[in-house]
Amino acid sequence: MDRFLATVSDVLPIWNTTRAAGLTSYVLLFVSMVAGMLQSFSWMTPSGRKTLNILHQSSGWFGLLFGMVHGFVLFFAQEKGLSLKEIFVPFAAHTRSLQIGLGIIALYMVILVMVTSDWMKQFGRKVWRSIHYLSFPAYLFALAHGVLLGPDTQYREIVIMYVVTAGIVVILFVLRMTQGTSRKHASFAK
């Protein structure tokens, strides 16, 4: 097993891979959040909603995929790697368990949101909508995970990216709550 892990580490620089996958996952989840909220506004045209829904769904699934790669690749790290338990069980990591745990919980929330979205008809709209609202805390947990744990926060550009993306989500969330939505076409009211 050690030989296999060494080979993987030689081919795939683990820490660069996990950082790139984590940042990619965060940006894709941000795009999914924005597209989902925008399509619920009453001023959005039907064709705009359709385009945004495709973007919302595809960026959500790709964000989930990159999030899974982000965590799982750490199993292959030779030094300071994580066990499967530390990767899949929230707060089980021996170091920085809070920060890692937030990322794991965010991942599980996104999995739940994505899977139930594909099976919305089986769950019913009310149940689906309730579960879909988990996307907000999932996004916040992913943001906190990246800011508190991510080594890239040493770079000004990454900090600016986190501030701008979080600001956009907050603004859209406030607008969505205060200005109302088109109930007939809202992404959360399908």
Side-chain angles (χ1 to χ4, degrees), residues 174-185:
V174 169
L175 288 173
R176 187 176 183 282
M177 293 297 119
T178 59
Q179 293 185 355
T181 60
S182 169
R183 296 303 254 160
K184 182 177 178 184
H185 298 288

Side-chain angles (χ1 to χ4, degrees), residues 36-58:
M37 285 188 283
L38 283 176
Q39 67 178 311
S40 70
F41 286 105
S42 59
W43 47 263
M44 186 57 61
T45 64
S47 64
R49 276 191 189 91
K50 186 176 181 178
T51 301
L52 285 171
N53 193 47
I54 292 168
L55 181 62
H56 173 63
Q57 291 176 348
S58 60

Side-chain angles (χ1 to χ4, degrees), residues 89-104:
V89 178
F91 314 113
H94 290 44
T95 61
R96 305 187 80 178
S97 63
L98 173 65
Q99 297 92 332
I100 294 171
L102 290 173
I104 295 168

Side-chain angles (χ1 to χ4, degrees), residues 1 4-6 8-9 14 72-78 81-82 87:
M1 183 67 160
F4 172 74
L5 294 176
V8 169
S9 292
I14 301 297
F72 189 67
V73 76
L74 291 173
F75 177 72
F76 297 103
Q78 288 276 310
L82 298 178
I87 291 170

